[in-house]
């Protein structure tokens, strides 16, 4: 038996070595093919790809930018970060089935008017809530109707307070503007932090791409092994496995519902069937006590930067001879979650006190201290919501057509009152 052992070893080792060699060659070939084909691979995989590998292939980021629906339709701007694509017609149907059709100006804005600078006018500043082009009558158009003034709207989705100031200085300084209405939302608070960190980083990349890179979420492979950082094949295998686990038919439905809330149903006043709303559970006011938004609280560093940016904007407006009006637009969750039954309410609100008014309280104190005209739309929108009116889209977090009309009418009445007071001074 022993004399046949070398022959037996050779018969085993030979095929095993050949198999291993073939496997190594196949793996290397797969690695090479995936690397060569990176720019044309599915965007979902490119998003998942480890950041180290993304940085090594610039074409990957270009493909991700094209895929990113949030960045689509925007044009990079070296001063403002971005605007909408200029002189472009945006048309289609919104979530509620309503047809829309609106064109941007040559400067890349949705605005009712581009009035002569010498003509008395209202300038409005904001982000996506002031540039929701896919409703029947966007908020700036409602303001024009309610105030009787030409409205020059400088607003782009994703902008923050720093960009509002830069847009005012570039496009509205020197205009006949007694009042400048600044419409602000939750995201403006952290947008200030993002903008300042981008500026401080000295990054040569555009702001849109920098934000995407800086805010990479759980869908990104953030593994720390050599294979995670350097092997495209390994990333692809991990991606395929995680997709399989995520979408397998036998996946326990209860595990999915643990991290994702179902739509909440509300009964409408005139709508027999009522309506559904899907909420975002990540807003800080759902999980932090009101005191956390004031000095000394956990959220104060963000609030302090936000207030500092608002003061700089206020100063810029006043230097141009105008007065700043601050208008707070509440999130869908702030308006409708308080209308839920207590057991459903507590599925979203984790604070001990159960209170949600921290941001509004902090803003009101700030405005009073700075003697700034301030309108909080929360109470008015909540009153309409309590009557069974659907003011926001079901999935989209923005105000729908009715919400734009209600917010615009309330803000328009407030601005009319301020204009009258200035005329009587």
């Amino acid at each position: 038996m022993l004399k046949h052992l070398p022959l037996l070893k050779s018969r085993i080792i030979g095929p095993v070595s050949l198999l291993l060699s073939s496997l190594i060659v196949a793996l290397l070939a797969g690695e090479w093919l995936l690397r060569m084909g990176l720019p044309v691979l599915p965007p979902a995989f490119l998003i998942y790809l480890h950041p180290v590998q993304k940085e090594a292939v610039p074409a990957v980021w270009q493909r991700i930018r094209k895929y990113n629906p949030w960045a689509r339709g925007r044009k990079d701007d070296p001063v403002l970060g971005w605007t909408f694509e200029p002189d472009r017609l945006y048309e289609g149907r919104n979530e509620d089935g309503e047809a829309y059709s609106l064109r941007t100006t040559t400067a890349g804005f949705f605005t009712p008017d581009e009035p002569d600078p010498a003509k008395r006018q209202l300038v409005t500043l904001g982000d996506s809530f002031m540039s929701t082009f896919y409703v029947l009558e966007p908020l700036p158009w409602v303001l024009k109707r309610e105030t009787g003034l030409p409205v020059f709207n400088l607003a782009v989705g994703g902008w923050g307070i720093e960009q509002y100031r830069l847009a005012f200085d570039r496009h509205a300084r020197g205009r006949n503007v007694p009042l400048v209405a600044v419409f602000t939302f939750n995201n403006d608070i952290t947008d200030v932090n993002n903008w300042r960190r981008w500026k401080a980083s000295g990054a040569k990349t555009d702001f849109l791409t920098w934000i995407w890179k800086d805010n990479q979420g759980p869908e990104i492979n953030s593994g720390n092994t050599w294979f995670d950082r350097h092997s495209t094949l390994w990333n692809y295998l991990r991606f395929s496995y995680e997709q399989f686990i995520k979408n397998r038919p036998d996946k326990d439905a209860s595990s999915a519902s643990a991290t994702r809330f179902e739509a909440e149903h509300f009964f409408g006043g005139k709508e027999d069937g009522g309506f559904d709303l899907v909420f975002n559970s990540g807003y800080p006011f759902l999980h932090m006590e009101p005191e956390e938004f004031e000095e000394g609280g956990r959220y104060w560093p963000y609030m302090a930067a936000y207030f500092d940016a608002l003061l700089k904007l206020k100063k810029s407006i006043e230097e141009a001879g105008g007065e700043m009006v601050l208008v707070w637009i509440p999130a869908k969750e702030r308006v409708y979650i308080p209308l839920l039954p207590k057991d459903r309410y507590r599925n979203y609100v984790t604070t001990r006190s159960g209170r949600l008014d921290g941001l509004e309280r902090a803003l009101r104190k700030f405005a009073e201290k700075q003697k700034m005209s301030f309108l909080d739309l929360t109470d008015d929108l909540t009153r309409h919501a309590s009557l069974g009116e659907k003011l926001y889209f079901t999935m989209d977090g923005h105000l729908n057509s009715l919400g734009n009309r209600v917010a615009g009418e309330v803000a328009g009445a407030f601005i009319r009152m301020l204009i009258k007071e200035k005329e009587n001074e």
Side-chain angles (χ1 to χ4, degrees), residues 106-227:
T106 54
F109 299 106
F110 291 105
T111 180
D113 304 290
E114 292 183 89
D116 184 287
K119 187 174 182 179
R120 193 164 178 246
Q121 59 200 266
L122 174 67
V123 166
T124 54
L125 302 171
D127 61 2
S128 54
F129 278 85
M130 289 299 286
S131 57
T132 310
F133 55 86
Y134 46 90
V135 292
L136 296 179
E137 188 181 25
L139 209 157
W141 276 255
V142 182
L143 288 175
K144 176 181 179 177
R145 169 165 54 80
E146 292 296 310
T147 62
L149 288 173
V151 173
F152 187 40
N153 183 49
L154 302 172
V156 180
W159 270 11
I161 304 298
E162 298 279 16
Q163 288 151 297
Y164 300 174
R165 176 172 55 83
L166 293 168
F168 175 82
D169 288 342
R170 178 197 269 187
H171 295 286
R173 185 173 286 275
R175 289 179 173 270
N176 183 358
V177 186
L179 290 177
V180 177
V182 179
F183 286 76
T184 185
F185 180 71
N186 290 263
N187 291 352
D188 283 344
I189 300 169
T190 51
D191 286 339
V192 171
N193 182 58
N194 284 334
W195 177 270
R196 292 183 175 182
R197 287 193 300 112
W198 174 61
K199 285 292 187 182
S201 72
K204 294 181 179 179
T205 184
D206 61 88
F207 190 34
L208 270 174
T209 303
W210 182 89
I211 285 179
W212 183 279
K213 291 181 179 181
D214 189 68
N215 293 279
Q216 298 184 63
E219 69 276 11
I220 310 297
N221 177 14
S222 56
N224 242 352
T225 70
W226 184 94
F227 289 100

